[in-house]
Amino acid sequence: ANALYLVNLDTVPVVAFATGHSEAITTSTSTSFTGLLNDNNFEVKEFNMLTDEIPEDASIVVLGMPTTDYTSEELSKLEAYLGDEKMASSRTLYVMTAPNAGWSSMPNLSSFLAEWGMEPQSQEVLESNTNNTLYNMPYAIFANVTDSVLSKTYDNVVKVQAAPVKRLFTANNDISTYSVIETSDTAYLSNDEKVLETPETDTYTILAFAQRYMDNQGKICANVVVDGCAADFYDGSSLLGNSTFGNKDVTLDLIKNLTGTTDTRVGLTVNQTQTNTMDISASSAVTWSIGMMLFTIVVPVAVLVIGLVIFLRRRHL
């Protein structure tokens, strides 16, 4: 159904992965995520931030957990991409991060994100209440999806080895920030063993969202997302592919929201169906009886009788 819808779409949303900064998440290391996008009628591209221009048709540019800082020229590309007042549809910069991202060595990109009201942290979010963890693992947290951006209810959204994202403001001039995915109030941050002994619990944002309206109607927006759980997108993670968890639904709905997609033909969720193989069981005695009696005796005798009947009738014509 998705393939039939795809050929009839007027515009196919494009998700472009940026390379050039030793990104941990690329089209080759995140085939589960790119496959999910392709299956749901999003086109995936890849380009080099250092040498290439940002694709003009890109609805979302993904910075998949970069490990080296951006130059001023590259940041100017991103500013021009987000600030183009002639854009015909919403545009988004999607930044993935993790506790080991090393933001202290990326001051330029950090300053750029700070202008949008978000500051990714280098700590890890843990959970002190085992009822809010998966298999009693403090780093596998059942997270909450707020209604600030996504209005649906999502069950079993699990974030593994996630980093918090600090919101520097809720509104500043024409930019507003939102907490999309956050922990319970029993979560805490870990940097060393001392923190583990007496953790200070609080609610932490895992995925933050900043938005600026680019038209008077609020239909075209420039968006910046900082996702503290890059582990979701690794091929080794089963969170996006397992229907038990709500991660796939949240991801698709967020991507649709960011691209301003209202066409129901885009984002039609593809679920794999496990079929049961039906077989007929029989004992060896039953199988031997059927083989000998039916195919060795009954069928040949029936053919012989039919042949004799036809032969005798023809003789008397």
Side-chain angles (χ1 to χ4, degrees):
N2 276 332
L4 292 174
Y5 287 143
L6 178 62
V7 298
N8 291 297
L9 288 176
D10 296 329
T11 303
V12 178
V14 174
V15 179
F17 283 70
T19 63
H21 291 272
S22 301
E23 289 83 359
I25 305 298
T26 63
T27 56
S28 59
T29 61
S30 185
T31 56
S32 57
F33 178 48
T34 56
L36 181 66
L37 293 172
N38 287 323
D39 286 343
N40 291 277
N41 293 338
F42 292 92
E43 182 180 356
V44 177
K45 294 184 177 181
E46 189 172 278
F47 71 101
N48 192 309
M49 277 293 299
L50 290 169
T51 59
D52 303 329
E53 295 297 326
I54 298 176
E56 294 182 359
D57 56 352
S59 298
I60 299 179
V61 171
V62 177
L63 306 187
M65 194 175 164
T67 56
T68 59
D69 205 6
Y70 280 63
T71 65
S72 57
E73 289 78 12
E74 290 174 297
L75 294 178
S76 296
K77 286 184 184 180
L78 294 176
E79 290 175 354
Y81 167 76
L82 293 171
D84 185 3
E85 296 181 354
K86 297 181 180 180
M87 66 173 68
S89 59
S90 297
R91 291 185 175 181
T92 299
L93 177 67
Y94 198 113
V95 183
M96 299 174 181
T97 182
N100 59 343
W103 286 97
S104 60
S105 62
M106 294 184 286
N108 295 339
L109 184 56
S110 297
S111 298
F112 176 85
L113 295 177
E115 294 177 2
W116 285 85
M118 294 175 292
E119 182 181 310
Q121 308 290 297
S122 296
Q123 297 165 295
E124 183 176 1
V125 181
L126 301 177
E127 178 59 64
S128 63
N129 185 350
T130 56
N131 292 327
N132 296 327
T133 64
L134 180 66
Y135 307 134
N136 294 328
M137 297 184 295
Y139 56 84
I141 300 172
F142 282 104
N144 303 312
V145 181
T146 70
D147 58 2
S148 58
V149 177
L150 301 175
S151 57
K152 287 174 57 177
T153 300
Y154 302 91
D155 297 324
N156 300 327
V157 177
V158 177
K159 294 298 176 179
V160 178
Q161 295 178 330
V165 182
K166 183 179 180 181
R167 293 165 60 203
L168 302 179
F169 55 79
T170 56
N172 184 21
N173 294 327
D174 55 350
I175 298 177
S176 300
T177 65
Y178 307 91
S179 176
V180 181
I181 300 178
E182 59 188 20
T183 69
S184 67
D185 58 3
T186 54
Y188 64 98
L189 302 181
S190 175
N191 260 342
D192 50 48
E193 294 181 358
K194 294 181 180 180
V195 178
L196 295 174
E197 294 176 0
T198 56
E200 296 182 5
T201 59
D202 201 352
T203 300
Y204 295 95
T205 297
I206 295 177
L207 190 149
F209 172 76
Q211 187 172 67
R212 180 173 64 199
Y213 292 141
M214 301 300 292
D215 64 344
N216 295 330
Q217 293 77 31
K219 295 181 179 180
I220 300 177
C221 305
N223 309 310
V224 177
V225 176
V226 180
D227 190 338
C229 190
D232 258 6
F233 305 97
Y234 285 114
D235 282 340
S237 172
S238 62
L239 296 175
L240 284 183
N242 194 325
S243 59
T244 302
F245 306 108
N247 296 45
K248 179 170 70 173
D249 291 336
V250 173
T251 301
L252 280 177
D253 287 347
L254 180 60
I255 295 296
K256 288 182 64 176
N257 183 288
L258 295 174
T259 56
T261 301
T262 57
D263 194 332
T264 56
R265 297 175 297 181
V266 177
L268 179 63
T269 304
V270 176
N271 292 316
Q272 300 296 328
T273 302
Q274 179 64 45
T275 59
N276 295 321
T277 303
M278 303 301 293
D279 200 358
I280 300 175
S281 59
S283 64
S284 58
V286 172
T287 303
W288 183 88
S289 299
I290 293 175
M292 287 295 294
M293 297 298 295
L294 180 61
F295 296 105
T296 306
I297 299 175
V298 176
V299 172
V301 170
V303 172
L304 180 61
V305 171
I306 294 172
L308 288 173
V309 171
I310 295 173
F311 173 75
L312 294 174
R313 285 185 177 183
R314 289 183 175 182
R315 285 194 61 185
H316 294 86
L317 290 178

